[in-house]
Amino acid sequence: MSRSQTAPFSLRDQLRPQVLLPAITAGLINGILCVVIEISLGALIFAGDLSQFLPRGIGFMLFGVVIIATFTALTSSFPNIISIPQDSPAAIFATLTALIAASFTGAGVASGDRAFATLTAIIATTTILTGIAAFLLGRFHLGNLVRYIPYPVVGGFLAGTGFFLVQGAFGVMTGDNITLLQPMTLFQADLPMRWVPGVTLGIGLLLILRRYRHFLIIPSVLVAAFALFYAVLTLTNTSLVQALSQKLMLGPFPNNSLWQPPDFSAVAGIDWAFIGGQVGKIAIVVIISMFSLLLNLSGLEVVARRDIDLNRELQVAGVANLLGGLGGSSPGYAALSLSALGTRLGTSSRLVGVITAGVALITLLLGASVISVFPRFLVGGLLFFLGGSFLVEWLIDSWSRFSKQDYGIILVILLVMVAVGILEGVAVGMLFAIVLFVINYSRIDVIKHNFSGNHYRSTVERTPPQEQALVKYGSLIQILELQGFIFFGTANTLLTKVRSLLDSSKYNPTPRYIVLDFHNVTGLDASSAISFDKIQQFAHSRTITLVYTGFAADQRQYFEKEVLADIERSAYQIFPTLDHGVEWCEEQLLTEFQSSIEDSRKIPPRDSTLPHGLGFHFIEKMLQDDFGDVHGSEYVEMLMRITKYFERRIVEKDVTLIQVGVKTGGLYLIESGQATVFGTTPDAEHMRLRLLSSESVAGEVSLYMETGATASVVTTQPTIVYYLSIENLRKIEERDPKVAIVLHRFLGRILSERLVRSTGLLEAISSSA
């Protein structure tokens, strides 16, 4: 995908035939579809006792097309985008119509006007709030926040929306207030004659579009249905007046303009208390509009094979809804199918949206006389198709796409929305989603890895006797790397696993130290303190020291206050990193078993005839595989030959021996003291990779590969080192091949030992995963 860019509006480019002709085609098709859709949505909202205001209601919807589509087309980063007032908000507004009409029953002659003013105020207020929310989300780059709404909750809401659209379709087709909860009312008198054709049309569109995906199908079917309706009127000798009286068409309406500016003198008649009671539904419209916009834009990215700036589109939609809301429009946002049409026709032109808005403007100006002759079954059939598509997608298609738990949430939301209300349905769905999330998250293993001290070692380089001791006693250290968000569910799971870990016959003797690493823990819930307190008490009863590592600052503060406040300090330790914590445990073991740690190597006594050279431990490590008698003259000769190539240096604390990225020019052998190998994290912070002490080597990788050093080495205390330059190494290879073999064999053993340790750790990680 290419990066999204705002294409400048160049009239010359837009008028090129290869751009203009597809743009006109897409614009006209979209315009006709938009007019029919908005007539349907207007009829859905302004129904029943408010049907007398249907022309003005349709005018508000078409005004929204003109304003929202035009502004979006001229300012969006996606030229072909078509934004119009949408069906989901309309379905919610439709549920308010009967409530508003009922609240004004018996309020006098002007009750209808007050009900209309109140409904219009709700629609306009919701649209303006939608615009403000969208703009702020885009302005502060918070577009992704809407994606955190559980997808099954959105699906359940859209399924409920589909139900209300279908129910509204029956109301439009029959011209009466219809509820699907009382289905037998549909078969009274001549009602079937009104709704059967529309249901047939809607089902036909559903079946055809599930098999074929051509953009001309819907307009072709609608035109054919329109022509068929008037053909039947002609064949049955039914006049327009008769058709109107039988409620087969939307009219009759007063012969004037569809859209009239909001009458601000009617503000006094608005029931603001009623509007205040609908805050929940207004909030749902705003949230669903944001989610639907982002979902549709994501779909457009796939269709157009390019990235779309979501935050910019939110700002554009925000301003468009602010302008539309001022004229009484319902909330609008990008329509996926309409926006994709221009792309499928091979054009990328802002004229598509402008022409679409132009068709709506012409309809708006022609007046209600054009709308009144629209067949009810055609408008209702389109609504039935829109609602049915929601129901099919979320009740049938989602059965195989979602888990049974998620599908259950969708079904529960639908049922509660139908039986109780929209807000209650969404609230119940959110509650179910949260409960299921907690249950499922509790099943995630809070322990990412479980190591023993045999496999996971600190980065401190030890002497061979110390290494042997840690191999023997390493199982006394148990390391648990924790992960995720720890709350009462996962913390209790951790408690159970720690108990089973210590009660297992697998560990004999019982571990002395348990290391709990929090580096990958994203947060701690207050309820987790109880489980950690039990873990601490359980460990204390077994004389086990708990070692906590990797705390974030807020996590450590919480732990010290809520868990460790009344615990003896000797019962636990806290270290900044897992490496430091394991190092402390190793030191405790080495101190405890010091008497059993014997150096089996034959280290010759220091001979006064030898020069003050390398530490004997190093020489012995180099020569132990080559000489059986390390006291022999050949050993002394070899020592003399090696020593002369090294430079002895006394280095103060905090001196950089090796700088990352810079060639070392040689290698360092540490006789005494200490140095730390540092790496750099992505946050430019130093991270300890190894701790070098007596008998350690540094710089060998850079020496062999002849590249810049992969890490920095800094002394952490006064240190004595022996430096072998690459020039002297070359001299050894040329003048004394036998010494070179011994030296290379020694360095190869060092690298092999590190590789074996890393391989063992990887195997431990693999087995604990």
Side-chain angles (χ1 to χ4, degrees):
M1 291 185 180
S2 60
R3 297 302 303 167
S4 64
Q5 297 178 348
T6 303
F9 186 86
S10 171
L11 185 59
R12 181 177 179 180
D13 291 338
Q14 302 295 310
L15 293 179
R16 288 181 298 143
Q18 60 268 39
V19 175
L20 182 61
L21 294 179
I24 292 175
T25 303
L28 290 175
I29 293 173
N30 280 337
I32 295 171
L33 285 175
C34 286
V35 168
V36 178
I37 290 172
E38 298 309 323
I39 290 173
S40 302
L41 297 182
L44 176 68
I45 298 172
F46 297 91
D49 294 337
L50 293 180
S51 59
Q52 59 179 310
F53 301 100
L54 178 57
R56 294 179 62 182
I58 293 175
F60 288 145
M61 304 299 285
L62 291 176
F63 173 81
V65 174
V66 174
I67 298 300
I68 296 174
T70 301
F71 183 84
T72 306
L74 296 178
T75 58
S76 171
S77 60
F78 185 70
N80 289 335
I81 196 167
I82 302 296
S83 294
I84 60 173
Q86 294 280 0
D87 44 13
S88 295
I92 297 178
F93 294 141
T95 63
L96 298 176
T97 301
L99 294 177
I100 293 174
S103 68
F104 286 98
T105 299
V109 178
S111 61
D113 293 330
R114 291 186 61 196
F116 174 72
T118 300
L119 179 58
T120 303
I122 290 177
I123 295 173
T125 301
T126 304
T127 305
I128 291 172
L129 290 176
T130 300
I132 294 173
F135 183 84
L136 292 177
L137 285 175
R139 179 66 179 83
F140 294 103
H141 303 280
L142 299 175
N144 287 329
L145 287 180
V146 183
R147 301 183 191 269
Y148 286 103
I149 300 174
Y151 201 47
V153 173
V154 176
F157 170 79
L158 292 178
T161 299
F163 174 85
F164 290 121
L165 284 172
V166 169
Q167 181 171 264
F170 282 101
V172 170
M173 290 183 288
T174 61
D176 295 323
N177 289 324
I178 297 293
T179 172
L180 293 182
L181 297 180
Q182 298 175 349
M184 297 308 298
T185 59
L186 293 173
F187 298 94
Q188 296 176 357
D190 61 344
L191 290 186
M193 182 185 69
R194 303 181 196 172
W195 60 261
V196 168
V199 171
T200 303
L201 173 64
I203 294 176
L205 280 173
L206 281 172
L207 294 176
I208 293 173
L209 289 175
R210 285 181 71 82
R211 185 175 180 85
Y212 305 103
R213 288 288 181 180
H214 198 278
F215 65 91
L216 289 176
I217 289 177
I218 293 180
S220 299
V221 170
L222 293 180
V223 169
F226 189 88
L228 180 62
F229 173 77
Y230 278 96
V232 171
L233 290 185
T234 302
L235 292 175
T236 58
N237 295 319
T238 304
S239 66
L240 291 180
V241 174
Q242 291 175 316
L244 288 170
S245 64
Q246 296 173 13
K247 295 185 178 181
L248 298 180
M249 293 186 289
L250 292 177
F253 300 132
N255 190 20
N256 52 24
S257 175
L258 286 174
W259 183 77
Q260 299 176 22
D263 184 4
F264 293 103
S265 63
V267 172
I270 296 175
D271 188 346
W272 295 106
F274 180 87
I275 295 177
Q278 307 306 316
V279 170
K281 292 183 178 180
I282 291 174
I284 290 176
V285 172
V286 173
I287 294 173
I288 292 300
S289 296
M290 298 301 96
F291 187 90
S292 300
L293 168 61
L294 293 173
L295 202 62
N296 288 353
L297 290 174
S298 298
L300 279 178
E301 288 181 322
V302 176
V303 172
R305 299 180 181 275
R306 55 168 288 184
D307 289 342
I308 295 177
D309 188 342
L310 298 183
N311 288 307
R312 174 180 173 79
E313 294 306 317
L314 280 169
Q315 294 182 66
V316 170
V319 176
N321 276 278
L322 284 171
L323 297 175
L326 294 175
S329 170
S330 177
Y333 45 86
L336 176 57
S337 57
L338 300 182
S339 300
L341 179 58
T343 300
R344 289 170 178 165
L345 290 179
T347 185
S348 178
S349 173
R350 299 184 183 279
L351 289 177
V352 177
V354 174
I355 293 173
T356 299
V359 174
L361 178 61
I362 292 173
T363 307
L364 193 63
L365 296 177
L366 286 179
S369 57
V370 175
I371 305 300
S372 63
V373 296
F374 257 77
R376 283 184 176 273
F377 91 93
L378 185 65
V379 176
L382 185 58
L383 284 174
F384 187 94
F385 161 71
L386 293 174
S389 62
F390 279 137
L391 291 172
V392 168
E393 178 180 2
W394 293 106
L395 293 182
I396 298 177
D397 296 343
S398 65
W399 173 258
S400 59
R401 289 164 37 209
F402 288 89
S403 67
K404 298 302 178 284
Q405 292 178 342
D406 289 342
Y407 185 83
I409 292 177
I410 294 173
L411 203 57
V412 166
I413 293 176
L414 170 62
L415 294 176
V416 176
M417 285 179 64
V418 172
V420 184
I422 294 174
L423 185 60
E424 293 81 358
V426 174
V428 169
M430 286 294 294
L431 179 61
F432 270 73
I434 292 171
V435 171
L436 288 176
F437 173 79
V438 170
I439 294 174
N440 291 330
Y441 198 89
S442 298
R443 294 172 180 170
I444 297 176
D445 198 344
V446 69
I447 301 176
K448 183 178 182 180
H449 295 123
N450 177 200
F451 306 117
S452 72
N454 297 103
H455 298 103
Y456 191 100
R457 299 284 182 77
S458 71
T459 57
V460 178
E461 293 205 349
R462 308 288 185 181
T463 63
Q466 292 173 332
E467 286 288 339
Q468 294 171 8
L470 291 177
V471 169
K472 183 177 181 180
Y473 301 110
S475 61
L476 297 178
I477 305 172
Q478 289 297 314
I479 303 163
L480 303 178
E481 282 190 77
L482 309 182
Q483 65 178 347
F485 184 83
I486 299 180
F487 61 106
F488 60 88
T490 52
N492 187 67
T493 302
L494 176 62
L495 171 62
T496 302
K497 292 201 173 186
V498 169
R499 283 176 171 169
S500 63
L501 181 74
L502 297 180
D503 290 337
S504 174
S505 57
K506 171 183 175 182
Y507 299 103
N508 188 21
T510 302
R512 305 280 184 85
Y513 306 97
I514 294 181
V515 182
L516 299 178
D517 181 57
F518 288 76
H519 177 70
N520 292 312
V521 172
T522 57
L524 294 167
D525 182 74
S527 59
S528 64
I530 298 175
S531 296
F532 279 110
D533 185 60
K534 291 180 179 179
I535 293 173
Q536 185 70 55
Q537 294 176 14
F538 184 71
H540 185 67
S541 67
R542 300 293 187 93
T543 320
I544 297 171
T545 301
L546 287 181
V547 179
Y548 301 100
T549 66
F551 278 135
D554 58 333
Q555 293 172 359
R556 175 164 183 168
Q557 182 180 9
Y558 164 78
F559 234 77
E560 290 178 335
K561 179 181 178 181
E562 301 296 335
V563 180
L564 304 175
D566 299 324
I567 305 297
E568 294 181 13
R569 188 63 181 83
S570 59
Y572 69 90
Q573 296 290 328
I574 298 178
F575 294 95
T577 66
L578 176 60
D579 186 40
H580 288 86
V582 174
E583 177 191 354
W584 181 86
C585 295
E586 292 174 348
E587 294 294 343
Q588 303 308 303
L589 289 181
L590 292 174
T591 300
E592 181 178 354
F593 299 104
Q594 181 66 42
S595 59
S596 63
I597 300 175
E598 297 180 0
D599 195 339
S600 60
R601 297 173 300 176
K602 300 177 181 179
I603 302 175
R606 188 175 291 278
D607 193 325
S608 60
T609 63
L610 295 176
H612 184 69
L614 289 172
F616 290 103
H617 285 184
F618 262 129
I619 298 301
E620 192 276 336
K621 288 178 74 174
M622 291 185 193
L623 305 181
Q624 60 184 335
D625 290 340
D626 297 277
F627 301 94
D629 182 7
V630 296
H631 295 280
S633 61
E634 191 174 359
Y635 172 84
V636 176
E637 178 190 355
M638 182 66 71
L639 175 62
M640 297 286 290
R641 285 156 58 185
I642 291 178
T643 302
K644 67 180 181 180
Y645 291 105
F646 284 83
E647 175 189 351
R648 185 174 188 268
R649 298 178 181 177
I650 300 177
V651 185
E652 297 299 320
K653 179 183 178 182
D654 296 328
V655 173
T656 300
L657 298 178
I658 298 175
Q659 181 66 47
V660 63
V662 179
K663 290 186 177 181
T664 60
L667 62 85
Y668 294 89
L669 307 182
I670 299 177
E671 180 181 281
S672 63
Q674 197 174 77
T676 301
V677 182
F678 286 110
T680 304
T681 67
D683 298 328
E685 296 181 356
H686 287 306
M687 177 178 64
R688 188 177 81 172
L689 301 179
R690 277 188 294 147
L691 183 62
L692 308 179
S693 55
S694 177
E695 302 189 28
S696 296
V697 181
E700 71 284 359
V701 175
S702 179
L703 178 72
Y704 276 131
M705 298 186 67
E706 298 184 358
T707 59
T710 56
S712 298
V713 180
V714 181
T715 59
T716 53
Q717 57 182 251
T719 304
I720 297 177
V721 301
Y722 290 88
Y723 178 70
L724 175 65
S725 66
I726 191 169
E727 292 79 12
N728 281 343
L729 177 61
R730 298 290 178 259
K731 290 178 183 179
I732 294 175
E733 293 171 342
E734 294 173 1
R735 302 174 185 176
D736 203 335
K738 188 172 183 179
V739 171
I741 291 174
V742 172
L743 181 60
H744 286 307
R745 184 178 296 166
F746 164 71
L747 295 176
R749 186 181 302 116
I750 294 292
L751 293 173
S752 297
E753 289 173 353
R754 292 176 183 167
L755 180 60
V756 168
R757 186 188 298 180
S758 298
T759 302
L761 177 60
L762 290 175
E763 290 177 351
I765 291 175
S766 177
S767 62
S768 67

